[in-house]
Amino acid sequence: MTSSRRTPQVFDYFLCGQKLKSVDSNPYLGVEISRTMSWNLHIDNTVKKANSVMGLVKRNLYAAPKETKILAYQSIVRPTLEYAASIWDPHTQKNITKLEKVQRSAARFVCSNYSRYSSVTSMLQELEWQSLQNRREAARLTNLYKIRKGDLHVTAADKRLIPTKSTRLHSARYKHLNSRTEVYKNSYFPKTIVDWNALPPSVIEAPSTPSFKERLKEHLIQRI
């Protein structure tokens, strides 16, 4: 065991008499958890896996109709990029760009356009594909809507979702959670509460989850 002001205490743990090995990261339910709570390794693994699947799609569907290519991307590639993304949604531009590059590559493949003079942004608009960043934000906010409605149970959520007296924008605002570190500041509740409080009443007051998703999608599109 070691201790100092800057070094956290390290303990030995045993299971059935066997000492557990100390590691810097370990996968849990498909998500790579690091001891520093950085998502860099998980995102690198996610991008690598998605590119691998995208490569398989390209090799087997290069001559397929556009609709088939879209279906392949949306059903087996994009889910890889979005698995449990509400938890690890990145805040650094470097990681955001890594993920978006996979979708931009998919857009070129779907449109069969690899010209260096063509605009990938225009292709994405033609396909009506939201950025992955916007989709992750929508997923986080939808989960918070479900928690608020009691449709999704999250341990100790009531200790983090504390109503505020301020009614600016809407009456369903929550207190911002103070954070001393970037890791906590950009974790699910602190980050999502900020986004939630900025939503217009028309979205917050949606009567059902499908209605909330539709209103939120329109709001995010108009915000661009």
PDB file of all heavy atoms in Angstrom, residues 24 54 76 88 109 130-131 134 139 142 148 164 171 197 208 211 214:
ATOM      1  N   ASP A  24      -4.282  -1.403 -15.902  1.00  0.00           N
ATOM      2  CA  ASP A  24      -4.613  -0.006 -16.185  1.00  0.00           C
ATOM      3  C   ASP A  24      -6.012   0.148 -16.776  1.00  0.00           C
ATOM      4  O   ASP A  24      -6.626   1.201 -16.675  1.00  0.00           O
ATOM      5  CB  ASP A  24      -3.593   0.603 -17.149  1.00  0.00           C
ATOM      6  CG  ASP A  24      -2.224   0.759 -16.513  1.00  0.00           C
ATOM      7  OD1 ASP A  24      -2.175   0.986 -15.287  1.00  0.00           O
ATOM      8  OD2 ASP A  24      -1.223   0.657 -17.235  1.00  0.00           O
ATOM      9  N   MET A  54     -16.742  -1.975 -41.277  1.00  0.00           N
ATOM     10  CA  MET A  54     -16.969  -1.177 -42.482  1.00  0.00           C
ATOM     11  C   MET A  54     -16.184  -1.754 -43.652  1.00  0.00           C
ATOM     12  O   MET A  54     -16.664  -1.787 -44.791  1.00  0.00           O
ATOM     13  CB  MET A  54     -16.542   0.268 -42.221  1.00  0.00           C
ATOM     14  CG  MET A  54     -16.982   1.259 -43.294  1.00  0.00           C
ATOM     15  SD  MET A  54     -18.755   1.525 -43.339  1.00  0.00           S
ATOM     16  CE  MET A  54     -19.091   1.232 -45.077  1.00  0.00           C
ATOM     17  N   ILE A  76     -25.236  -2.449 -38.873  1.00  0.00           N
ATOM     18  CA  ILE A  76     -24.112  -3.179 -38.274  1.00  0.00           C
ATOM     19  C   ILE A  76     -22.869  -2.342 -38.019  1.00  0.00           C
ATOM     20  O   ILE A  76     -22.005  -2.749 -37.238  1.00  0.00           O
ATOM     21  CB  ILE A  76     -23.723  -4.404 -39.145  1.00  0.00           C
ATOM     22  CG1 ILE A  76     -23.250  -3.970 -40.530  1.00  0.00           C
ATOM     23  CG2 ILE A  76     -24.867  -5.389 -39.239  1.00  0.00           C
ATOM     24  CD1 ILE A  76     -22.769  -5.133 -41.391  1.00  0.00           C
ATOM     25  N   TRP A  88     -19.782   7.121 -22.480  1.00  0.00           N
ATOM     26  CA  TRP A  88     -18.425   7.545 -22.852  1.00  0.00           C
ATOM     27  C   TRP A  88     -18.397   8.694 -23.861  1.00  0.00           C
ATOM     28  O   TRP A  88     -17.336   9.007 -24.407  1.00  0.00           O
ATOM     29  CB  TRP A  88     -17.619   6.360 -23.387  1.00  0.00           C
ATOM     30  CG  TRP A  88     -18.264   5.593 -24.496  1.00  0.00           C
ATOM     31  CD1 TRP A  88     -18.991   4.440 -24.381  1.00  0.00           C
ATOM     32  CD2 TRP A  88     -18.245   5.904 -25.902  1.00  0.00           C
ATOM     33  NE1 TRP A  88     -19.420   4.016 -25.626  1.00  0.00           N
ATOM     34  CE2 TRP A  88     -18.978   4.895 -26.578  1.00  0.00           C
ATOM     35  CE3 TRP A  88     -17.684   6.935 -26.662  1.00  0.00           C
ATOM     36  CZ2 TRP A  88     -19.168   4.893 -27.958  1.00  0.00           C
ATOM     37  CZ3 TRP A  88     -17.871   6.939 -28.037  1.00  0.00           C
ATOM     38  CH2 TRP A  88     -18.598   5.927 -28.664  1.00  0.00           C
ATOM     39  N   PHE A 109     -18.751   5.784 -49.337  1.00  0.00           N
ATOM     40  CA  PHE A 109     -19.040   4.437 -49.843  1.00  0.00           C
ATOM     41  C   PHE A 109     -20.487   4.333 -50.333  1.00  0.00           C
ATOM     42  O   PHE A 109     -20.743   3.827 -51.427  1.00  0.00           O
ATOM     43  CB  PHE A 109     -18.791   3.420 -48.728  1.00  0.00           C
ATOM     44  CG  PHE A 109     -19.312   2.048 -49.028  1.00  0.00           C
ATOM     45  CD1 PHE A 109     -18.727   1.271 -50.016  1.00  0.00           C
ATOM     46  CD2 PHE A 109     -20.383   1.523 -48.310  1.00  0.00           C
ATOM     47  CE1 PHE A 109     -19.211  -0.015 -50.299  1.00  0.00           C
ATOM     48  CE2 PHE A 109     -20.872   0.256 -48.582  1.00  0.00           C
ATOM     49  CZ  PHE A 109     -20.290  -0.520 -49.578  1.00  0.00           C
ATOM     50  N   GLN A 130     -27.500  12.620 -39.337  1.00  0.00           N
ATOM     51  CA  GLN A 130     -27.031  13.517 -38.284  1.00  0.00           C
ATOM     52  C   GLN A 130     -25.596  13.156 -37.914  1.00  0.00           C
ATOM     53  O   GLN A 130     -25.166  12.007 -38.087  1.00  0.00           O
ATOM     54  CB  GLN A 130     -27.899  13.380 -37.035  1.00  0.00           C
ATOM     55  CG  GLN A 130     -29.249  14.034 -37.090  1.00  0.00           C
ATOM     56  CD  GLN A 130     -29.967  13.882 -35.765  1.00  0.00           C
ATOM     57  OE1 GLN A 130     -30.422  12.795 -35.408  1.00  0.00           O
ATOM     58  NE2 GLN A 130     -30.065  14.955 -35.021  1.00  0.00           N
ATOM     59  N   SER A 131     -24.871  14.102 -37.400  1.00  0.00           N
ATOM     60  CA  SER A 131     -23.533  13.785 -36.916  1.00  0.00           C
ATOM     61  C   SER A 131     -23.665  12.813 -35.747  1.00  0.00           C
ATOM     62  O   SER A 131     -24.667  12.799 -35.033  1.00  0.00           O
ATOM     63  CB  SER A 131     -22.806  15.051 -36.459  1.00  0.00           C
ATOM     64  OG  SER A 131     -23.383  15.558 -35.265  1.00  0.00           O
ATOM     65  N   ASN A 134     -24.227  14.636 -32.483  1.00  0.00           N
ATOM     66  CA  ASN A 134     -25.611  15.011 -32.206  1.00  0.00           C
ATOM     67  C   ASN A 134     -26.439  13.807 -31.777  1.00  0.00           C
ATOM     68  O   ASN A 134     -27.306  13.916 -30.900  1.00  0.00           O
ATOM     69  CB  ASN A 134     -26.239  15.644 -33.452  1.00  0.00           C
ATOM     70  CG  ASN A 134     -26.014  17.148 -33.513  1.00  0.00           C
ATOM     71  OD1 ASN A 134     -25.272  17.695 -32.712  1.00  0.00           O
ATOM     72  ND2 ASN A 134     -26.625  17.804 -34.471  1.00  0.00           N
ATOM     73  N   ALA A 139     -29.228  10.799 -27.499  1.00  0.00           N
ATOM     74  CA  ALA A 139     -29.359   9.578 -26.699  1.00  0.00           C
ATOM     75  C   ALA A 139     -29.256   9.898 -25.209  1.00  0.00           C
ATOM     76  O   ALA A 139     -30.028   9.380 -24.390  1.00  0.00           O
ATOM     77  CB  ALA A 139     -28.294   8.565 -27.103  1.00  0.00           C
ATOM     78  N   THR A 142     -32.452  11.720 -24.159  1.00  0.00           N
ATOM     79  CA  THR A 142     -33.589  10.798 -24.142  1.00  0.00           C
ATOM     80  C   THR A 142     -33.552   9.926 -22.897  1.00  0.00           C
ATOM     81  O   THR A 142     -34.588   9.661 -22.271  1.00  0.00           O
ATOM     82  CB  THR A 142     -33.590   9.916 -25.410  1.00  0.00           C
ATOM     83  OG1 THR A 142     -33.690  10.755 -26.567  1.00  0.00           O
ATOM     84  CG2 THR A 142     -34.760   8.950 -25.398  1.00  0.00           C
ATOM     85  N   ARG A 148     -36.525  10.775 -15.806  1.00  0.00           N
ATOM     86  CA  ARG A 148     -37.468  11.735 -15.233  1.00  0.00           C
ATOM     87  C   ARG A 148     -38.887  11.171 -15.195  1.00  0.00           C
ATOM     88  O   ARG A 148     -39.630  11.393 -14.230  1.00  0.00           O
ATOM     89  CB  ARG A 148     -37.426  13.020 -16.067  1.00  0.00           C
ATOM     90  CG  ARG A 148     -38.414  14.097 -15.641  1.00  0.00           C
ATOM     91  CD  ARG A 148     -38.258  15.325 -16.522  1.00  0.00           C
ATOM     92  NE  ARG A 148     -39.326  16.281 -16.284  1.00  0.00           N
ATOM     93  CZ  ARG A 148     -39.352  17.132 -15.271  1.00  0.00           C
ATOM     94  NH1 ARG A 148     -38.363  17.150 -14.412  1.00  0.00           N
ATOM     95  NH2 ARG A 148     -40.353  17.991 -15.127  1.00  0.00           N
ATOM     96  N   THR A 164     -34.137  22.892  -9.569  1.00  0.00           N
ATOM     97  CA  THR A 164     -33.718  24.239  -9.199  1.00  0.00           C
ATOM     98  C   THR A 164     -34.924  25.166  -9.207  1.00  0.00           C
ATOM     99  O   THR A 164     -35.931  24.897  -9.877  1.00  0.00           O
ATOM    100  CB  THR A 164     -32.651  24.772 -10.178  1.00  0.00           C
ATOM    101  OG1 THR A 164     -32.290  26.095  -9.817  1.00  0.00           O
ATOM    102  CG2 THR A 164     -33.166  24.766 -11.605  1.00  0.00           C
ATOM    103  N   SER A 171     -39.564  24.934 -16.611  1.00  0.00           N
ATOM    104  CA  SER A 171     -39.684  24.689 -15.172  1.00  0.00           C
ATOM    105  C   SER A 171     -39.121  23.343 -14.737  1.00  0.00           C
ATOM    106  O   SER A 171     -39.254  22.964 -13.574  1.00  0.00           O
ATOM    107  CB  SER A 171     -41.164  24.760 -14.766  1.00  0.00           C
ATOM    108  OG  SER A 171     -41.924  23.798 -15.471  1.00  0.00           O
ATOM    109  N   ASN A 197     -31.044  21.566 -19.410  1.00  0.00           N
ATOM    110  CA  ASN A 197     -31.517  22.881 -18.981  1.00  0.00           C
ATOM    111  C   ASN A 197     -31.632  23.870 -20.133  1.00  0.00           C
ATOM    112  O   ASN A 197     -32.365  24.856 -20.048  1.00  0.00           O
ATOM    113  CB  ASN A 197     -30.591  23.451 -17.904  1.00  0.00           C
ATOM    114  CG  ASN A 197     -30.731  22.732 -16.574  1.00  0.00           C
ATOM    115  OD1 ASN A 197     -31.698  21.994 -16.356  1.00  0.00           O
ATOM    116  ND2 ASN A 197     -29.785  22.929 -15.681  1.00  0.00           N
ATOM    117  N   SER A 208     -44.605  11.809 -24.510  1.00  0.00           N
ATOM    118  CA  SER A 208     -44.123  10.432 -24.576  1.00  0.00           C
ATOM    119  C   SER A 208     -42.700  10.408 -25.114  1.00  0.00           C
ATOM    120  O   SER A 208     -42.223  11.389 -25.689  1.00  0.00           O
ATOM    121  CB  SER A 208     -45.030   9.594 -25.489  1.00  0.00           C
ATOM    122  OG  SER A 208     -44.958  10.070 -26.826  1.00  0.00           O
ATOM    123  N   SER A 211     -42.468  11.009 -28.884  1.00  0.00           N
ATOM    124  CA  SER A 211     -42.708  12.425 -29.157  1.00  0.00           C
ATOM    125  C   SER A 211     -41.491  13.260 -28.768  1.00  0.00           C
ATOM    126  O   SER A 211     -41.091  14.181 -29.490  1.00  0.00           O
ATOM    127  CB  SER A 211     -43.935  12.912 -28.387  1.00  0.00           C
ATOM    128  OG  SER A 211     -44.116  14.299 -28.553  1.00  0.00           O
ATOM    129  N   GLU A 214     -38.733  12.896 -31.394  1.00  0.00           N
ATOM    130  CA  GLU A 214     -39.030  13.616 -32.625  1.00  0.00           C
ATOM    131  C   GLU A 214     -38.819  15.113 -32.443  1.00  0.00           C
ATOM    132  O   GLU A 214     -38.205  15.779 -33.291  1.00  0.00           O
ATOM    133  CB  GLU A 214     -40.469  13.336 -33.055  1.00  0.00           C
ATOM    134  CG  GLU A 214     -40.816  13.877 -34.433  1.00  0.00           C
ATOM    135  CD  GLU A 214     -39.975  13.272 -35.545  1.00  0.00           C
ATOM    136  OE1 GLU A 214     -39.582  12.091 -35.435  1.00  0.00           O
ATOM    137  OE2 GLU A 214     -39.689  13.995 -36.529  1.00  0.00           O
TER     138      GLU A 214
END
